[in-house]
Amino acid sequence: MTPRGFTRVAAVDCGTNSIRLLVADVNPGTGELLELDRRMTIVRLGQDVDRTGRLAPEALERTFAACREYAEVIRDLGAEKVRFVATSASRDASNRDDFVRGVVDILGVEPEVISGEQEAEFSFTGATNELKGRDDLARPYLVVDIGGGSTEFVVGDDHVRAARSVDVGCVRMTERHLVVDGAVSDPPSAEQIAAMRADIERALDLAEETVPLGEARTLVGLAGSVTTVSAIAQELPAYDSARIHHSRVSRERVREITERLLRSTHAERAAVPSMHPGRVDVIAAGALVLLSIMERTGAEEVVVSEHDILDGIAWSVA
C-alpha cells in the first residue's frame, strides 16, 4: 500500500549501454523517495550506432526483452505512473521509430527521446537532492554523468546554472578507438589510447564553452563507469551499492585504476570481482573519461552517487 502523501511511480532510463528501472514511492511535499525496486540490464542498445546510424536488430531485441521483464515488475508493484526516457543511442538512430513502437507495445508508454540538456537536468536533480544541507560538500556542484554514448556536465547549486551534453561515452569511445577487426584491442596500444584521450579533450573543450567547469567546488560522478571505479578502488568482493553510494575516490586513485585497466587484458578485467560482465570491454574508456574530467577541473576527488537520472525522472513524474 502506498503511504499517505506519496505517489507510486516507475521510471525507466534507456541509455546506450544499459536500461534501468526504478519503482519508488515519492512525496513531492517532503522530498522523500522510498525505493521499492531498482534494477539494471546491459543491453548495448547503441551497438554500432556511431558507425551505422541505425539500431541493430539484435540490440533492439535485447532491449525489448528487458522491457518485458520491467513491465512485469511495474505491474506487480502497482505503479500509478510510468515515464520512459531514452537518451543518446536512440537520439542518433535513423530507425528509432522501430524502437518507439516496440516500447509502446510492451509498456504502453511512448519513450521520450530527450535532449542532452533535459538529460542533464534529470541527472542533476537525482544526484543532488539528498546532498542539500551537507556542510562537508562545498557548492556549486559539478555533476558528470558518464554514459555509454554521451557525457552530461551540469553546474549548479540548488538549481542548474549551466548544462551541456557531449558525444563522449564509454561505448562510443571504445567502438571509435579501441575496436580493430571487430574486436576490442587486448590491451589497447599507446596510439589508440592517445587518440581516445585527444577525442575526450576535444569534448571537454566543447563542454567548457557552456559550462564553467573550473568554478565547481564538488565533483559528483554518476553512472556505471564511475560506480565501477569506486568498487575497484574499495576492492569490494562484489558490487555493493550501499558501499559505493556517496563514497569518495581521489584523483590519484582514479589515475592508478585507469592506467591498470588500460593495460589489462579482457580476462584480467573480467576477473575483477565487482565488474559487471557487460562493462568489461568499455570500463577502461569510461575510467579515462572520468580521469580526464578530474584533471581538467582540478578536482582532488569525486563523490560517487548511485542516485542519478532515474531518481530525477521519478521526481519529474510525481
Side-chain angles (χ1 to χ4, degrees), residues 3-4 9 18 35-36 66 84 97 110 112 116 119 136 178 182 188 199 222 230 232 235-236 260 265 274 288-289 318:
R4 183 185 296 274
V9 302
S18 64
E35 183 179 313
L36 301 173
F84 188 116
D97 287 350
E110 187 164 323
E112 300 172 54
E119 193 175 340
D136 60 326
L178 305 186
D199 211 356
L222 317 183
S230 172
I232 296 170
E235 300 180 354
L236 298 180
R260 190 199 326 163
T265 63
S274 55
L288 184 60
V289 173

Side-chain angles (χ1 to χ4, degrees), residues 83 85-88 91 113-125 143 145 150-155 160-167 206-207 209-211 309:
R83 188 170 190 181
V85 165
T87 53
S88 179
R91 270 202 304 269
V113 182
I114 61 172
S115 68
E117 285 65 34
Q118 288 173 296
E119 193 175 340
E121 290 269 359
F122 286 145
S123 295
F124 186 83
T125 302
V143 175
D145 186 341
S150 62
T151 295
E152 281 64 57
F153 295 83
V154 199
V155 164
V160 173
R161 281 174 28 195
R164 182 73 179 262
S165 176
V166 295
D167 283 341
L206 279 177
E209 289 176 3
T210 311
V211 180
I309 188 171

Side-chain angles (χ1 to χ4, degrees), residues 140 142 144 153 197 201 204 208 212-220 249-252 254-255 289-303:
L142 169 61
V144 293
F153 295 83
R197 182 66 185 249
E201 292 297 335
L204 290 174
E208 276 195 308
L213 301 181
E215 288 183 16
R217 303 287 302 283
T218 297
L219 175 65
V220 183
V249 187
S250 71
R251 185 170 70 225
E252 286 312 306
V254 171
R255 177 177 290 111
V289 173
L290 174 61
L291 176 61
S292 302
I293 292 167
M294 296 183 80
E295 290 178 346
R296 175 67 69 99
T297 61
E300 295 291 339
E301 66 175 13
V302 58
V303 178

